[in-house]
Amino acid sequence: MGPAPAGAQLRGAAGHPEMMEPALEGKVKEGEKKASKKHIVAGSPVEGLLQPVKLSQAELYKEPTSEELNRLRETENLFHSSLLRLQVEEVLKEVSLSEKKKERIDAFLQDVIQRIMKVPSTPETELTDQAWLPAGVRVPLHQVPYSVKGCFHFLPPAQVTVVGSYLLGTCIRPDINVDVALTMPREILQDKDGLNQRYFRKRALYLAHLAHHLAQDPLFASVRFSYTNGCHLKPLLLLRPRGKDEHLVTVCLHLCPPPDFFRLCRLLPSKNNVRSAWYRGQNPPGDGSPEPPTPHYNTWVLQDITLESHVKLLSTVLGSALGLKDGVALLKIWLRQRELDKGLGGFSGFLVSMLVAFLVSTRKIHSTMSGYQVLRSVLQFLATTDLTVNGISLCFSSDPTLPALADFHQAFPVVFLDSSGCLNLCADVTASTYHQVQHEARLSMVLLDSKADDGFQLLLMTPKPMIRAFDHVLHLYPLSRLQAACHRLKLWPELQDNGGDYVSAALGPLTTLLEKGLGSRLHLLAHSRPPVSEWDISQDPPKHRDSGTLTLGFLLRPEGLNSVLELGPEADQPEAADFRQFWGPRSELRRFQDGAIREAVVWEAVSMSQKRLIPHQVVTHLLALHADIPDTCVHYMGGLLDALIQGLKETASTGEEALATVVRCYDELSRLLWGLEGLPLTVSAVQGAHPVLRYTEVFPPTPVWPAYSFHEPFRERASLLPRPDKPSPAYVEPMTVVCHLEGSGQWPQDAEAIQRVRAAFQLRLAELLTQQHGLQCRAMATHTDVLKDGFVFRIRVAYQREPQILKEMRSPEGMISFRDTPTSLRLEKDTKQLPLLTSALHGLQQQHPAFSGVARLAKRWVRAQLLGEGFTDESLDLVAAALFLHPEPFTPPSSPQVGFLRFLFLMSTFDWKNNPLIVNLNNELTVEELVEIRSGFLATRTQLPVMVIITPQDRKSSIWTQDGPSPQILQQLVVLAAEALPILEKQLMDPQGPGDIRTVFRPPLDMYDVLIRLNSRHIPRHRQAVDWPAASFCRGLLSKSGRSSLMPVLGYDPPQLYLAQLREAFGDLALFFYDQHGGEVIGVLWKPSSFQPRPFKASNAKGCMVVSQGGELVMVPNVEAILEDFAILGEGLVRAVEARSERWTV
């Protein structure tokens, strides 16, 4: 069962005034004209709707004060709008600490420092003799290999210093971590402690002893171990206060060596400090080859050495410059929303603080800049500077003994040196992570340069989890398999350098391997950073295999997804051997049309959905070939939702090919119409006006070849009829095509006469298509149905001036005026607006091949929730189009899966009350026009529908949402989307497998008062259900094509016909909900207003019974009789009527 929201949200739809959305009070009463139901009645200011501030005349024209003038001048110079300044100030206020909380934190820190200094010392023992440790504490380090030289004893720290963002005033809520550096006494260290993890072993033992004593103190609610930025050689101690401040602050105890204890020249990236003989238990080779360098190991020691000097540098730079501190806080929010700042190799808040210091030192940032300007400057620098190629340095010394940047580039993928010139601050940052940071910075700069009104919201307030930001994701699980990958890739030096962390050792080579293999298909590859684990001091530290899952994200290029061929070099080229070695047995020699014989790899993919998943084939092949990772350990999340828009017979395709076949058939029909001879007027335009022709029909039609024995022939109309003794025939929906005729002075000027002339044209059109092209046609007064290649097209002849003539109003005096009428508006929408929209969305599909899948998944989900009747096809298509035309802060989706997740996010978070959804098709609207549209929207909000979608052709009235949804239906969809999104994202991010992916598509049925269960024999679209039926009925179709002289049954869907009857008979008592794609249940909600006792009137007795109440005769609904009527109306179709009595007691 899918997520079941409270039924009360939807129950308000039944007309109960207390349950209505506040912004939509005053909705027109049920007896009023249908046209007025679309609007909200203007009245008193509506709660939740933004209202302009009313000022008196004196306040309006009051001279600005000098303070206000200064603020305006600052805003003009430092921000690009007053709104942005207000937003920045508000978010900074939200994430900053209040003075009262700072005082409580400072008091806690003082207590912590006092207790640390009172921890007793221990006698000296060998490092391997750890019997002195109490039973309740374990060493927070993997001691592999265990034997190591050196001695240890505990002494209180030589110095305790508060460091980090709390001291600098740049920490942000909600996670307030206060970093405290404890300087280890010189007496407990020895000269060669830099070798073979001795320093890290002493560091861990020091923390274990501290942890044991502090854990016994009642001051602390919890004392736990964790890792410094995820580095498993550098544990730290987490202290949280007891009482109400437990969740306010976490004090992190870091250890560092005494100043000048380690010689920096011994810790350069080219030096070795982990001996192979010690780590691998093997004697070094006798050939005199040097020990492999250990750049990461050396860096982790250097980080402890330089801890305090970095704080001093940042304190000097940031000092009293509030703008710089605000900028650092904004950058931290920016990183956090993109999940870039966590774990080992994350682009942390410390790194951006140092980057700000670098930009200040190079005068690219000035201390007088605002936080917004600092944010812009840093993002601009990141977007335009590739630190994987050209590193930067805070060291301006000309000392020749210092290594050059080139030396660091050989050891690390990303280079940013600190002021000592020896430490690479980005040592743990992988090239993939930095390229992801660069990518995000470029997107953010485009967003800021656009000066969009919602730019701030998109930049800093919109989360970008990996599953929603990348087209496909891949989970490598279990992580222990990466051990074999390290052996296969011969990564012994990397393992030695990383202290046995095979995940970190293998990560770089694996991402490089996959980037090379995916080539032109890939725009960006990113990897997750598992959250840094915490554990109790009585437990062993978590093993590498327990650190979660390694998740890779692929941002794909749509233009690279269509190719099934990897083209290699010619067979006689020297590069051919490398190509064969890289691709292994998949590489083969092929002769091409130009005569060349080349190495090539061909992937198995026929349909578009299979081509989208070629990266899956590439990744599994390369990981198995080069890294010994079997496909059972590769959990690829890319096409799991495709099954929801696949037909049973074509499980290999999501229908793009079938849609393209229909469009080709339509193009051929268009050419036939253009070339018709014998029409009194020539055809001036042929335009499609059906979802199929814009690639958004959920289940595309297939060619229909009806079996005559299954149907009743109706010879007079050359048609087939359904037979009562057979199951309902296959559902065939005719596809509307609008055929415009050229203008002529011979057209009558009377609306009724025009309709008669059009009817004559429809008849003539059918005659000519049959005579000249042998097509089976059936003409009606309003349209002509044409059967071509098994598809049925419904051609509607249109005269361009007819809507204008329908608007004419003649007064008794003979004056002519023009006024919109429901008939003229409907005709204009059907013959002008709809073909234009279909054409624009058809063009969007050519630009973004994933649009079709996204729009169809979105509509499938909305209809599966039984809410499809409230939303037109066009409105949902436009919401899907907005994800491609305005994807910020993302890039346009390249897979249906990520597009659908963003659809759920948009539906659940968009402020429909105070904003129109503007879909700028073909980029026709200018910035000035967009501002004008928003202003007009606010001025006329109370006259507009609840859901407003604006396009270049429809800038004011939102014609696609005029007839729905109602406020309550929209609210229900928002609630359902908000509940479905986290469920689906959790499923897709689960490495054990997503489980049942159809969960979020199943509707919550417990909210309905009555369930009408239908007989699947008479549900023609039964096979389109969310849960595929194990068996269904024959629908009277032939498997082979053949010439048909009779028109198939069109638009025959018994559940929809039954629904229409129910709404007509009982629409004043209840609301009815149904999934048109094979649903077996109709949900019924009683309208609370209809259960209010009413005075007895013979004219209002339908569905009611008379009861005595307070001595008066009143009428109340006769529920038992109504339920019986439900069954009688649907005899043969209705299988059962289930009522929940507690819902409708009177």
Side-chain angles (χ1 to χ4, degrees):
M1 185 60 62
Q9 300 279 1
L10 190 53
R11 182 163 301 285
H16 198 349
E18 287 78 20
M19 303 302 290
M20 287 190 180
E21 278 288 292
L24 303 151
E25 290 173 5
K27 191 176 183 295
V28 211
K29 295 178 183 174
E30 291 205 357
E32 294 183 357
K33 290 186 292 183
K34 187 176 180 182
S36 62
K37 283 189 181 180
K38 310 164 191 172
H39 306 304
I40 305 156
V41 174
S44 59
V46 195
E47 184 189 342
L49 196 61
L50 295 176
Q51 299 290 331
V53 178
K54 292 182 178 178
L55 298 173
S56 67
Q57 193 80 356
E59 290 174 314
L60 200 57
Y61 294 101
K62 187 171 66 174
E63 288 187 10
T65 63
S66 58
E67 185 181 338
E68 288 172 336
L69 285 171
N70 286 335
R71 188 173 174 82
L72 285 169
R73 199 175 297 114
E74 276 181 25
T75 301
E76 187 179 348
N77 294 335
L78 305 180
F79 300 84
H80 72 63
S81 73
S82 300
L83 174 64
L84 182 66
R85 177 172 190 157
L86 290 170
Q87 288 172 321
V88 168
E89 289 175 352
E90 193 62 32
V91 76
L92 288 172
K93 195 187 301 179
E94 189 68 26
V95 299
S96 60
L97 272 173
S98 66
E99 288 302 320
K100 284 186 179 178
K101 288 181 178 175
K102 284 182 183 176
E103 289 171 6
R104 280 154 47 195
I105 291 173
D106 288 341
F108 178 60
L109 278 174
Q110 291 300 323
D111 293 340
V112 169
I113 293 170
Q114 288 174 11
R115 281 157 174 75
I116 288 171
M117 299 308 290
K118 290 179 182 176
V119 175
S121 56
T122 63
E124 185 172 293
T125 59
E126 292 289 322
L127 272 176
T128 51
D129 178 11
Q130 297 170 8
W132 59 272
L133 272 175
V137 65
R138 307 302 293 267
V139 180
L141 185 75
H142 295 295
Q143 302 180 74
V144 180
Y146 185 75
S147 64
V148 66
K149 296 178 181 178
C151 301
F152 174 78
H153 65 286
F154 181 89
L155 291 174
Q159 187 178 348
V160 180
T161 317
V162 178
V163 295
S165 58
Y166 178 75
L167 181 70
L168 298 168
T170 59
C171 64
I172 60 171
R173 294 165 55 202
D175 302 323
I176 300 298
N177 294 321
V178 179
D179 297 305
V180 176
L182 311 182
T183 305
M184 295 164 68
R186 192 177 293 265
E187 294 82 356
I188 65 175
L189 297 175
Q190 295 162 291
D191 287 344
K192 293 190 176 181
D193 277 356
L195 289 175
N196 299 343
Q197 300 182 10
R198 291 181 202 172
Y199 165 68
F200 294 117
R201 302 280 172 97
K202 290 185 177 181
R203 201 178 175 282
L205 289 169
Y206 196 96
L207 275 180
H209 184 68
L210 264 179
H212 171 67
H213 284 277
L214 295 179
Q216 298 170 10
D217 197 301
L219 177 68
F220 305 110
S222 73
V223 177
R224 295 171 69 81
F225 288 127
S226 185
Y227 288 136
T228 306
N229 295 327
C231 173
H232 74 283
L233 284 181
K234 295 175 63 174
L236 53 80
L237 200 56
L238 304 179
L239 309 175
R240 295 185 177 94
R242 191 177 298 279
K244 64 178 181 179
D245 289 341
E246 181 178 353
H247 300 293
L248 169 65
V249 64
T250 302
V251 172
C252 309
L253 300 185
H254 302 260
L255 295 183
C256 57
D260 305 325
F261 180 80
F262 289 108
R263 293 168 57 198
L264 296 184
C265 63
R266 285 292 310 145
L267 296 169
L268 297 179
S270 58
K271 302 294 184 181
N272 172 280
N273 283 298
V274 180
R275 303 293 188 249
S276 301
W278 172 78
Y279 182 75
R280 298 171 64 178
Q282 298 176 356
N283 292 322
D287 56 5
S289 58
E291 288 275 2
T294 52
H296 288 91
Y297 176 95
N298 301 346
T299 295
W300 294 331
V301 179
L302 280 167
Q303 286 170 350
D304 286 357
I305 295 171
T306 55
L307 194 61
E308 291 186 31
S309 64
H310 290 159
V311 173
K312 289 176 183 173
L313 170 69
L314 290 174
S315 182
T316 305
V317 172
L318 300 179
S320 58
L322 287 177
L324 297 184
K325 291 182 180 180
D326 289 350
V328 171
L330 291 174
L331 284 161
K332 286 184 176 181
I333 296 170
W334 182 83
L335 288 169
R336 182 175 293 175
Q337 294 288 22
R338 285 150 183 78
E339 299 183 348
L340 290 167
D341 60 337
K342 299 295 182 187
L344 183 64
F347 207 82
S348 63
F350 168 70
L351 278 179
V352 290
S353 302
M354 295 299 281
L355 194 54
V356 168
F358 170 78
L359 294 175
V360 169
S361 68
T362 53
R363 300 184 180 178
K364 291 181 179 175
I365 289 180
H366 196 270
S367 58
T368 59
M369 284 183 172
S370 69
Y372 168 72
Q373 287 178 309
V374 172
L375 174 70
R376 269 195 73 107
S377 300
V378 172
L379 292 180
Q380 177 67 26
F381 178 81
L382 287 170
T384 56
T385 310
D386 191 351
L387 298 185
T388 62
V389 179
N390 299 308
I392 55 175
S393 175
L394 274 164
C395 176
F396 302 105
S397 168
S398 56
D399 186 350
T401 60
L402 290 174
L405 279 171
D407 298 332
F408 284 91
H409 276 295
Q410 287 182 350
F412 303 105
V414 187
V415 177
F416 175 19
L417 302 188
D418 75 338
S419 52
S420 71
C422 298
L423 170 63
N424 179 17
L425 299 169
C426 290
D428 296 324
V429 180
T430 62
S432 297
T433 297
Y434 185 74
H435 288 145
Q436 187 185 359
V437 171
Q438 270 201 300
H439 169 76
E440 293 291 352
R442 289 192 195 103
L443 292 180
S444 299
M445 284 309 298
V446 171
L447 189 58
L448 289 174
D449 288 340
S450 71
K451 298 189 177 179
D453 285 349
D454 56 351
F456 173 85
Q457 180 77 21
L458 297 172
L459 188 70
L460 296 176
M461 297 289 102
T462 305
K464 292 187 69 174
M466 176 172 277
I467 191 66
R468 215 181 299 154
F470 291 88
D471 296 307
H472 293 173
V473 294
L474 161 78
H475 306 301
L476 287 179
Y477 181 85
L479 285 178
S480 55
R481 195 67 208 183
L482 292 178
Q483 271 185 298
C486 287
H487 289 283
R488 185 65 165 269
L489 294 165
K490 298 182 173 58
L491 298 178
W492 276 110
E494 286 79 3
L495 279 171
Q496 193 169 318
D497 185 21
N498 285 279
D501 181 0
Y502 47 81
V503 179
S504 297
L507 184 55
L510 284 183
T511 53
T512 305
L513 174 77
L514 297 182
E515 282 173 348
K516 181 180 177 183
L518 291 168
S520 62
R521 290 185 172 85
L522 188 69
H523 179 69
L524 179 72
L525 185 152
H527 58 81
S528 65
R529 284 153 293 280
V532 180
S533 52
E534 292 182 16
W535 66 97
D536 192 79
I537 61 171
S538 61
Q539 297 174 337
D540 285 321
K543 294 181 167 56
H544 302 306
R545 66 169 180 262
D546 299 328
S547 60
T549 307
L550 179 60
T551 302
L552 304 179
F554 304 110
L555 198 61
L556 304 172
R557 295 182 190 273
E559 62 273 14
L561 291 179
N562 291 326
S563 173
V564 297
L565 183 71
E566 302 286 345
L567 194 59
E570 294 189 4
D572 54 355
Q573 296 290 324
E575 296 86 6
D578 293 335
F579 187 87
R580 284 193 297 272
Q581 189 273 332
F582 184 76
W583 290 109
R586 293 301 297 250
S587 177
E588 54 187 22
L589 279 176
R590 285 185 168 242
R591 182 188 292 277
F592 291 88
Q593 289 181 346
D594 60 358
I597 300 175
R598 291 174 172 270
E599 293 285 348
V601 176
V602 180
W603 304 104
E604 297 82 15
V606 178
S607 65
M608 189 64 210
S609 59
Q610 289 175 322
K611 289 177 181 176
R612 278 197 300 265
L613 290 173
I614 286 177
H616 184 193
Q617 295 184 51
V618 175
V619 166
T620 50
H621 171 69
L622 290 177
L623 290 179
L625 179 66
H626 293 286
D628 200 20
I629 299 175
D631 58 0
T632 54
C633 299
V634 178
H635 307 274
Y636 199 90
M637 309 291 170
L640 292 174
L641 294 176
D642 289 356
L644 274 306
I645 50 175
Q646 286 176 344
L648 269 183
K649 291 182 180 176
E650 43 169 8
T651 52
S653 169
T654 47
E656 287 89 351
E657 291 72 31
L659 286 164
T661 302
V662 181
V663 172
R664 281 195 298 272
C665 187
Y666 157 73
D667 290 337
E668 292 170 11
L669 179 63
S670 299
R671 284 192 288 273
L672 298 182
L673 289 171
W674 281 98
L676 276 183
E677 296 176 1
L679 271 177
L681 294 174
T682 58
V683 174
S684 62
V686 179
Q687 296 175 302
H690 191 272
V692 171
L693 304 178
R694 52 181 183 263
Y695 295 91
T696 62
E697 180 67 21
V698 178
F699 293 97
T702 52
V704 176
W705 312 110
Y708 288 0
S709 60
F710 195 88
H711 299 79
E712 193 79 44
F714 185 30
R715 299 289 177 187
E716 293 81 357
R717 299 301 304 274
S719 302
L720 296 172
L721 295 175
R723 281 174 56 172
D725 60 328
K726 296 282 187 181
S728 295
Y731 180 74
V732 180
E733 184 176 355
M735 290 166 277
T736 307
V737 175
V738 180
C739 181
H740 290 272
L741 299 177
E742 65 176 342
S744 167
Q746 301 299 311
W747 278 97
Q749 299 303 304
D750 176 70
E752 189 175 344
I754 289 175
Q755 289 176 11
R756 293 178 184 276
V757 172
R758 274 201 295 108
F761 271 110
Q762 298 287 175
L763 290 167
R764 184 64 176 151
L765 204 60
E767 289 174 19
L768 293 174
L769 284 171
T770 304
Q771 291 170 10
Q772 297 178 20
H773 303 291
L775 296 178
Q776 177 63 35
C777 300
R778 185 176 64 189
M780 309 286 282
T782 55
H783 59 264
T784 300
D785 291 332
V786 179
L787 178 63
K788 183 179 186 332
D789 300 338
F791 300 109
V792 180
F793 295 92
R794 178 160 287 175
I795 302 173
R796 294 188 56 184
V797 170
Y799 171 45
Q800 59 183 8
R801 288 203 68 249
E802 187 176 1
Q804 188 75 7
I805 291 168
L806 287 171
K807 293 178 184 180
E808 286 185 9
M809 297 288 176
R810 192 177 296 271
S811 67
E813 294 80 22
M815 297 288 290
I816 294 177
S817 60
F818 293 93
R819 187 178 304 162
D820 286 335
T821 64
T823 310
S824 70
L825 289 173
R826 187 166 56 251
L827 185 64
E828 191 169 7
K829 181 165 79 171
D830 291 344
T831 60
K832 182 182 175 185
Q833 300 273 14
L834 187 53
L836 281 174
L837 178 67
T838 302
S839 174
L841 294 181
H842 182 280
L844 183 66
Q845 167 67 18
Q846 307 309 312
Q847 289 177 286
H848 301 285
F851 168 66
S852 170
V854 174
R856 290 161 60 214
L857 271 175
K859 288 198 278 195
R860 184 69 197 94
W861 179 78
V862 171
R863 291 168 184 171
Q865 306 309 308
L866 313 188
L867 300 177
E869 293 289 331
F871 297 84
T872 62
D873 260 300
E874 294 75 25
S875 63
L876 294 174
D877 287 347
L878 284 168
V879 174
L883 302 171
F884 292 84
L885 295 169
H886 316 289
E888 300 82 5
F890 304 99
T891 53
S894 289
S895 75
Q897 172 181 289
V898 74
F900 177 63
L901 291 174
R902 292 184 201 168
F903 168 81
L904 292 177
F905 180 73
L906 176 65
M907 287 302 303
S908 60
T909 59
F910 192 81
D911 183 4
W912 297 103
K913 284 182 188 174
N914 295 306
N915 290 294
L917 181 67
I918 301 176
V919 186
N920 194 0
L921 295 166
N922 299 323
N923 208 24
E924 291 180 35
L925 297 173
T926 63
V927 175
E928 293 75 19
E929 288 171 330
L930 292 172
V931 172
E932 186 182 338
I933 286 169
R934 288 193 176 94
S935 302
F937 166 83
L938 292 173
T940 60
R941 181 64 186 105
T942 50
Q943 283 83 45
L944 291 169
V946 57
M947 182 182 186
V948 178
I949 301 177
I950 300 295
T951 65
Q953 286 75 36
D954 172 28
R955 304 187 181 195
K956 293 182 180 178
S957 57
S958 186
I959 58 173
W960 307 115
T961 57
Q962 288 285 349
D963 298 322
S966 68
Q968 295 77 22
I969 297 290
L970 178 61
Q971 179 63 19
Q972 176 70 1
L973 194 74
V974 167
V975 170
L976 285 169
E979 296 191 358
L981 180 63
I983 292 172
L984 187 54
E985 288 188 341
K986 184 179 178 182
Q987 285 182 303
L988 293 173
M989 288 300 284
D990 186 356
Q992 306 281 5
D996 188 357
I997 208 73
R998 299 170 191 264
T999 300
V1000 297
F1001 283 80
R1002 296 190 185 105
L1005 297 177
D1006 55 346
M1007 58 185 285
Y1008 295 105
D1009 297 319
V1010 179
L1011 297 179
I1012 303 174
R1013 300 197 179 271
L1014 307 180
N1015 184 350
S1016 58
R1017 175 185 174 89
H1018 296 297
I1019 304 175
R1021 293 187 266 189
H1022 187 221
R1023 289 178 179 269
Q1024 297 177 1
V1026 168
D1027 292 296
W1028 283 340
S1032 191
F1033 294 86
C1034 171
R1035 300 295 174 187
L1037 295 181
L1038 298 174
S1039 57
K1040 295 181 180 179
S1041 63
R1043 185 170 177 78
S1044 175
S1045 60
L1046 297 178
M1047 187 70 70
V1049 180
L1050 298 182
Y1052 180 63
D1053 192 352
Q1056 293 288 10
L1057 299 172
Y1058 176 54
L1059 270 174
Q1061 289 183 326
L1062 287 175
R1063 287 178 177 134
E1064 184 181 357
F1066 305 105
D1068 55 338
L1069 296 173
L1071 294 170
F1072 301 91
F1073 302 89
Y1074 178 65
D1075 174 12
Q1076 68 193 57
H1077 294 296
E1080 294 188 14
V1081 177
I1082 294 176
V1084 184
L1085 270 180
W1086 299 119
K1087 291 184 177 180
S1089 58
S1090 63
F1091 278 77
Q1092 301 296 323
R1094 289 174 294 175
F1096 174 73
K1097 281 186 184 176
S1099 59
N1100 289 342
K1102 183 181 70 173
C1104 294
M1105 60 183 180
V1106 179
V1107 296
S1108 176
Q1109 197 174 78
E1112 293 183 10
L1113 291 179
V1114 294
M1115 294 192 308
V1116 294
N1118 185 351
V1119 174
E1120 287 80 4
I1122 292 171
L1123 298 184
E1124 194 176 330
D1125 287 348
F1126 286 173
I1128 293 169
L1129 266 179
E1131 186 179 356
L1133 174 63
V1134 173
R1135 184 162 49 87
V1137 178
E1138 295 178 13
R1140 297 186 167 106
S1141 57
E1142 71 276 6
R1143 298 273 191 145
W1144 44 265
T1145 50
V1146 179

